[in-house]
Amino acid sequence: MDTRRLKSFIVIVDTGSITRAADVLHIAQPALSQQLAALEDHFQQKLLLRSQQGVTMTEAGRAVYQHAQTILRQMDLAQAAVKAAGETLVGRVSVGLVPFSSAATLSADLLIETRKRHPGILLHLTESVGQTYSQMIMNGRLEMALIHGTGPIKGVRFEPLLTEDFYLVAHRDFGIEDLDAPLPVAALSDVPLLMPPPYNFVRRAVDLAFSRARLSLNVVAEVEIVRTLAKVVNTGTGATIMPKAIAERILSESSEPLVLRAITPKVEETLSLCVSDQSELSAPASAVKAILLELTNNLKK
């Protein structure tokens, strides 16, 4: 099979339109439609359904999309391996780092260390709140990711690395004392909080802790941008509850007197390395994994 048809199919799905895909690929729309027709003829299945809103995958299309990602990635790895035979590691490695966690603090160090140790590796980092990293790993769009949870999820393997404790960050105007002792969640029932939306893992963990204490969060705004969150906490508009690494980052970047307090009952989440259980990591990906594990281990010190 001509792998160009698989590449074209992926672009059509990702852009949601044959017209947009033709623009991205710089080929005529009729030619792209012929490639799609040839692919459907090869599999003897309808792969895409067309409508005025664009295209959607059939179940057969989903299967082809997933395997196409894997096939093309293996082709890239094969080309990189041939090119790098007897030389330094060469290849593209994609890593997802979950936002609002210790993982998000590792991105710069991971890039610097990878570049220093393996200059032939092209590192692709993503830190997104709108995509499911485990699904991207199964689809072949990521080699690995640092995410919260321990699974199980069919198609991926979890390696728990560390447990993150959550801390309150608040302006001293809220009257919360700067003490070492954990702060009971009951003391926060009236504090205006800036939190991510309910589907975010941070919000789910905090919601659960408050629910167990039979309390409700006083959420005054939902924010998924750490920089914005830090600026607003700095003004005293609201407080927030975040994993310690993010809470300390907000504190270190503030010019205002902020309070950092642990919470009781403890709010925590497990940070795990997630990889595919269907295929082995390439040599470049294994090298990046080793650096990622090293950096994550340093967070425990």
Side-chain angles (χ1 to χ4, degrees):
M1 177 186 292
D2 188 343
T3 57
R4 288 178 301 177
R5 293 174 184 170
L6 295 178
K7 291 180 181 179
S8 296
F9 180 70
I10 289 172
V11 174
I12 293 171
V13 172
D14 288 347
T15 58
S17 162
I18 292 179
T19 301
R20 286 193 292 270
D23 290 337
V24 170
L25 295 168
H26 303 293
I27 62 176
Q29 184 175 333
L32 185 57
S33 295
Q34 288 177 3
Q35 287 189 28
L36 175 60
L39 200 61
E40 291 180 326
D41 183 62
H42 176 84
F43 289 106
Q44 297 185 344
Q45 291 276 358
K46 192 72 174 176
L47 303 180
L48 296 177
L49 299 176
R50 306 189 197 192
S51 68
Q52 292 182 344
Q53 287 71 41
V55 296
T56 55
M57 287 184 287
T58 63
E59 287 304 312
R62 293 182 189 280
V64 170
Y65 181 82
Q66 180 175 342
H67 286 288
Q69 295 274 6
T70 301
I71 291 169
L72 294 177
R73 186 177 69 199
Q74 290 299 322
M75 290 292 293
D76 289 341
L77 291 176
Q79 290 178 345
V82 171
K83 181 179 179 182
E87 300 177 3
T88 57
L89 291 174
V90 176
R92 184 177 185 272
V93 179
S94 298
V95 181
L97 301 171
V98 66
F100 292 100
S101 74
S102 298
T105 68
L106 299 178
S107 55
D109 288 339
L110 179 59
L111 179 57
I112 292 168
E113 285 302 313
T114 300
R115 182 65 184 162
K116 184 189 302 181
R117 302 182 198 183
H118 308 289
I121 293 178
L122 174 63
L123 187 62
H124 171 221
L125 298 177
T126 182
E127 183 183 316
S128 171
V129 297
Q131 301 182 70
T132 304
Y133 287 162
S134 57
Q135 187 65 46
M136 293 175 71
I137 289 172
M138 285 186 277
N139 286 340
R141 302 185 69 177
L142 289 177
E143 272 78 27
M144 69 195 79
L146 280 183
I147 63 177
H148 281 92
T150 57
I153 298 177
K154 186 178 180 181
V156 294
R157 184 173 67 253
F158 286 80
E159 182 179 342
L161 300 180
L162 59 87
T163 299
E164 294 194 294
D165 293 335
F166 286 37
Y167 280 67
L168 171 79
V169 189
H171 199 283
R172 288 186 182 174
D173 286 350
F174 285 109
I176 298 172
E177 295 183 272
D178 192 2
L179 303 175
D180 291 333
L183 186 70
V185 293
L188 302 176
S189 58
D190 294 326
V191 175
L193 292 173
L194 311 166
M195 297 295 297
Y199 57 76
N200 183 282
F201 83 92
V202 170
R203 178 67 175 276
R204 290 200 303 266
V206 175
D207 277 342
L208 180 60
F210 272 68
S211 176
R212 286 173 174 171
R214 297 185 177 180
L215 297 170
S216 298
L217 286 172
N218 180 24
V219 178
V220 297
E222 294 180 342
V223 183
E224 288 190 286
I225 307 169
V226 175
R227 183 173 296 177
T228 300
L229 191 67
K231 286 183 178 180
V232 181
V233 169
N234 199 45
T235 66
T237 301
T240 192
I241 301 172
M242 287 284 140
K244 188 179 181 182
I246 300 300
E248 290 180 337
R249 173 179 163 185
I250 293 173
L251 189 69
S252 67
E253 295 176 355
S254 175
S255 58
E256 292 291 317
L258 300 183
V259 175
L260 183 70
R261 289 282 296 272
I263 299 170
T264 185
K266 182 182 289 187
V267 184
E268 61 184 16
E269 269 284 1
T270 300
L271 188 67
S272 298
L273 179 70
C274 183
V275 297
S276 172
D277 66 2
Q278 303 297 314
S279 58
E280 294 296 322
L281 292 175
S282 65
S286 294
V288 171
K289 176 187 174 182
I291 298 173
L292 188 56
L293 292 176
E294 178 185 322
L295 294 174
T296 307
N297 190 57
N298 290 339
L299 294 175
K300 302 176 185 178
K301 299 177 181 178

